[in-house]
């Protein structure tokens, strides 16, 4: 009996050791992710999907196709469950006389109007402003659809992107507002999320067949440099964008339109959400999972649209051919103190000559759009005073060394380009004279007197030391 108990004890001991060892191996295998998943230039905002995005060009015609149905059999509208305030995906969304219609037998499952759309006149900073009504978005039954639509509609095939904000949010001279903040960092990042894979049939995403701005004119949408127009033409083609005038003409025809696949983006609806203000802060998750490489297909599509340029230099991380790009703002209102600008250029030249880096000192006001994009696309380290030129980081390929250095008037900081850097996978440094901060220790948002100064100081050695550190890792 005693021998049996000892033997049993030994067996139990071996079993316990085996379980512990197995648990260790399992834990080790789960925590030691592949290197490319653990290397990061900033804190992760949320889990990502490593399934690659497959981009598909739509061959749908831009014209509409007539559709008829029997009584009570109108195609139902379905809404992706993963939709978030300010970005909603639909199948079979109807439009008639400027009103969007959701046709459903289960209206209780439809998100509130305020999470989908605005009334087009909301002020973005008035979260509780006038909410949209049934005139903006109506939810109706199949029987009501028969009465309103007359059992017929014209189908617009493919994917339709709509931005339903009014001109207050899109009437701006900076292309950052539309292309960076609305299209890239919001609509496209949402659209490519793996959370929509089930609704959209997998990781394939169809390029939008059309982009509709029903409440904004082309003149209100265009930026001063023409970036919005050129880049969207490169992505979608020149005939795929429709503005308020085009939309009004279509609505006056009395047609009922059914958008086969639609994505409604609305910045007012997004900002009405109490959590929206947190999305930009490090450590707070984006509302959807982000697909790894979510921006690559758009960046590559734009770059493939540009002809070869004399400014092309070796790839930003190939054969140690690192490229340092300083975009000068000395011809603009917000700029460096002139002697500090000169010292910075001299210091950058000395650094690059000593270590074999390629240096570009650019004045984008004197460059074509193609020249700007091609020059920045070959960049490893991008430096500039806070301003629109830093949006060019969209064309910088993220690597272990890709770096964005943003110079502020001391004491000033806003999230715009830090948030962009974090979303794209670049390492970020903000500069106050001879001090720097990164994503892990950002100061509070502040726009003090002198934020837009034409006499911003900077210590050149602070910047060159950061560059050397980043490129000699």
């Amino acid at each position: 009996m005693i021998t049996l108990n000892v033997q049993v004890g030994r067996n139990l001991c071996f079993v316990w050791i085996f379980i512990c060892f197995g648990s260790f191996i399992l834990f080790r295998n789960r925590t030691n992710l592949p290197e490319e998943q653990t290397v990061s230039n900033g804190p992760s905002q949320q889990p990502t999907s490593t399934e690659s995005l497959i981009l598909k060009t739509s061959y749908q015609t831009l014209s509409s196709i007539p559709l008829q149905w029997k009584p009570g059999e109108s195609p139902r509208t379905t809404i992706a469950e993963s939709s978030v305030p300010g970005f909603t995906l639909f199948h079979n969304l109807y439009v008639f006389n400027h009103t969007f219609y959701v046709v459903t037998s289960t209206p209780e499952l439809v998100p509130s109007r305020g999470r989908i759309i605005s009334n087009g006149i909301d002020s973005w900073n008035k979260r509780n402003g006038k909410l949209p009504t049934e005139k903006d978005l109506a939810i109706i039954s199949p029987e009501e659809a028969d009465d309103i639509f007359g059992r017929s509609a014209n189908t617009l095939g493919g994917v339709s992107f709509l931005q339903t904000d009014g001109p207050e949010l899109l009437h701006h001279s900076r292309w950052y507002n539309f292309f960076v903040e609305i299209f890239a960092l919001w609509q496209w990042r949402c659209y490519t999320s793996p959370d929509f894979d089930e609704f959209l049939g997998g990781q394939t995403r169809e390029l939008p067949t059309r982009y509709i701005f029903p409440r904004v004119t082309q003149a209100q949408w265009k930026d001063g440099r023409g970036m919005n127009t050129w880049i969207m033409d490169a992505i979608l083609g020149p005939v795929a964008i429709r503005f308020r005038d085009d939309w009004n003409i279509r609505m006056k025809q009395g047609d009922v339109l059914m958008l086969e696949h639609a994505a409604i983006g609305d910045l007012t609806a997004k900002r009405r959400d109490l959590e929206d203000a947190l999305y930009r802060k490090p450590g707070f998750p984006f509302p959807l999972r982000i697909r790894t490489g979510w921006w690559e297909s758009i960046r590559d599509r734009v770059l493939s649209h540009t002809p070869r340029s004399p400014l092309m230099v070796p790839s930003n991380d190939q054969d140690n051919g690192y490229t340092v790009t300083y975009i000068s703002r000395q011809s603009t209102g917000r700029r460096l103190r002139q002697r500090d600008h000169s010292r910075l250029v001299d210091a950058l030249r000395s650094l690059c000559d000593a270590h074999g880096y390629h240096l570009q000192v650019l004045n984008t006001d004197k460059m074509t759009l193609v020249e700007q994009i091609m020059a920045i696309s070959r960049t490893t380290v991008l430096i500039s005073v806070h301003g629109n030129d830093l949006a060019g980081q969209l064309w910088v390929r993220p690597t272990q060394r890709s770096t964005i250095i943003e110079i502020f008037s001391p004491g000033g900081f806003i999230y715009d380009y830090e948030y962009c850097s974090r979303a794209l996978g670049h390492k970020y440094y903000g500069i106050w004279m001879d001090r720097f901060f990164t994503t892990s220790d950002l100061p509070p948002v502040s726009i003090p007197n002198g934020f837009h100064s034409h006499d911003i100081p900077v210590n050149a050695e602070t910047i060159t030391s950061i560059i050397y550190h980043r490129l000699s890792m």
Side-chain angles (χ1 to χ4, degrees):
M1 190 69 166
I2 295 175
T3 303
L4 179 62
N5 287 339
V6 170
Q7 185 63 41
V8 170
R10 287 175 178 170
N11 290 343
L12 289 174
C13 183
F14 284 129
V15 169
W16 176 250
I17 292 172
F18 179 80
I19 291 173
C20 291
F21 182 76
S23 299
F24 170 77
I25 294 297
L26 178 61
F27 177 78
R28 183 177 182 273
N29 288 339
R30 291 184 64 183
T31 55
N32 282 281
L33 299 175
E35 182 178 354
E36 63 269 20
Q37 294 182 44
T38 57
V39 173
S40 172
N41 278 331
S44 175
Q45 288 186 291
Q46 63 286 305
T48 60
S49 169
T50 57
E51 288 187 343
S52 298
L53 174 70
I54 301 173
L55 191 64
K56 175 184 175 183
T57 301
S58 174
Y59 293 99
Q60 294 285 342
T61 176
L62 289 172
S63 59
S64 57
I65 301 173
L67 171 70
Q68 293 184 332
W69 59 82
K70 295 179 181 179
E73 295 184 6
S74 57
R76 305 300 195 265
T77 305
T78 55
I79 303 175
E81 292 183 4
S82 296
S83 296
V84 293
F87 185 83
T88 311
L89 282 182
F90 300 86
H91 293 327
N92 302 333
L93 177 67
Y94 295 81
V95 194
F96 176 60
N97 194 24
H98 295 284
T99 300
F100 293 97
Y101 287 88
V102 172
V103 178
T104 179
S105 299
T106 54
E108 67 277 4
L109 300 180
V110 179
S112 65
R113 290 186 187 89
R115 290 171 60 91
I116 298 174
I117 198 170
S118 66
N119 58 18
I121 57 174
D122 277 347
S123 176
W124 69 266
N125 59 357
K126 296 178 181 178
R127 180 175 291 137
N128 297 315
K130 187 177 180 182
L131 293 171
T133 67
E134 286 190 354
K135 178 59 182 172
D136 303 296
L137 177 69
I139 302 164
I140 60 174
S141 68
E143 292 72 26
E144 291 173 314
D146 288 351
D147 293 338
I148 296 171
F149 303 151
R151 301 204 306 273
S152 66
N154 289 315
T155 303
L156 291 180
V159 178
S160 301
F161 268 35
L162 301 101
Q163 189 66 32
T164 51
D165 291 295
E168 181 177 11
L169 286 175
L170 289 170
H171 183 194
H172 212 296
S173 61
R174 299 190 307 162
W175 69 286
Y176 174 88
N177 291 75
F178 167 69
F179 189 76
V180 182
E181 184 177 19
I182 292 176
F183 177 73
L185 299 185
W186 183 241
Q187 283 203 334
W188 192 256
R189 198 155 47 139
C190 287
Y191 180 57
T192 57
S193 169
D195 292 339
F196 291 118
D197 283 1
E198 183 177 353
F199 188 74
L200 297 173
Q203 70 262 39
T204 298
R205 293 295 183 272
E206 190 173 311
L207 272 173
T209 307
R210 61 193 66 80
Y211 214 131
I212 302 171
F213 300 87
R215 292 164 169 167
V216 175
T217 66
Q218 185 175 18
Q220 292 169 333
W221 174 78
K222 288 181 67 175
D223 62 292
R225 292 186 178 182
M227 276 282 195
N228 285 342
T229 301
W230 191 92
I231 293 172
M232 293 310 293
D233 283 357
I235 297 171
L236 304 180
V239 297
I241 304 177
R242 296 287 182 265
F243 297 96
R244 188 174 68 195
D245 294 343
D246 311 303
W247 192 246
N248 288 345
I249 291 172
R250 191 65 188 260
M251 292 296 102
K252 287 178 181 179
Q253 306 307 311
D255 291 346
V256 177
L257 300 180
M258 188 186 78
L259 308 181
E260 182 183 25
H261 309 293
I264 288 187
D266 194 290
L267 210 56
T268 302
K270 173 177 178 281
R271 288 173 169 172
R272 190 179 289 119
D273 179 28
L274 294 177
E275 297 298 317
D276 174 63
L278 302 178
Y279 291 162
R280 293 183 169 210
K281 294 184 178 180
F284 287 91
F286 193 71
L288 297 165
R289 287 184 298 155
I290 296 175
R291 191 180 303 278
T292 300
W294 62 275
W295 185 244
E296 288 180 11
S297 58
I298 295 297
R299 182 182 62 245
D300 292 347
R301 191 172 179 86
V302 170
L303 295 181
S304 68
H305 194 72
T306 59
R308 291 185 63 84
S309 165
L311 290 169
M312 288 181 65
V313 296
S315 177
N316 65 343
D317 241 16
Q318 186 178 38
D319 300 328
N320 292 331
Y322 305 132
T323 298
V324 176
T325 300
Y326 168 48
I327 301 181
S328 168
R329 291 182 54 89
Q330 295 309 103
S331 61
T332 68
R334 191 189 311 114
R335 61 184 184 268
L336 291 181
R337 182 180 296 163
Q338 185 57 41
R339 66 174 180 271
D340 287 358
H341 161 75
S342 299
R343 289 170 181 169
L344 177 58
V345 172
D346 290 343
L348 291 173
R349 284 179 178 148
S350 297
L351 175 73
C352 292
D353 288 345
H355 298 283
Y357 309 148
H358 182 85
L359 175 64
Q360 300 181 118
V361 178
L362 308 180
N363 182 344
T364 56
D365 288 339
K366 297 180 179 180
M367 300 169 68
T368 68
L369 299 181
V370 171
E371 288 173 338
Q372 293 176 44
I373 291 171
M374 292 308 296
I376 295 174
S377 72
R378 301 297 173 168
T379 294
T380 315
V381 179
L382 180 63
I383 311 152
S384 189
V385 171
H386 168 78
N388 224 21
D389 287 314
L390 285 168
Q393 64 182 283
L394 288 167
W395 319 126
V396 176
R397 193 173 302 277
T399 69
Q400 288 183 321
R401 294 175 176 81
S402 60
T403 306
I404 308 301
I405 300 177
E406 182 176 18
I407 305 169
F408 290 98
S409 178
F413 172 73
I414 57 177
Y415 279 113
D416 289 359
Y417 302 108
E418 183 279 330
Y419 177 59
C420 188
S421 301
R422 191 170 3 118
L424 293 169
H426 306 309
K427 179 69 175 180
Y428 174 86
Y429 290 85
I431 304 293
W432 287 346
M433 182 57 179
D434 57 355
R435 298 173 54 195
F436 69 86
F437 47 88
T438 66
T439 295
S440 61
D441 60 348
L442 296 175
V445 171
S446 176
I447 305 179
N449 291 334
F451 186 82
H452 302 290
S453 171
H454 60 272
D455 199 36
I456 297 173
V458 72
N459 183 290
E461 291 182 358
T462 301
I463 292 178
T464 55
S465 64
I466 290 172
I467 296 170
Y468 179 72
H469 167 71
R470 290 292 296 161
L471 301 186
S472 58
M473 293 193 323

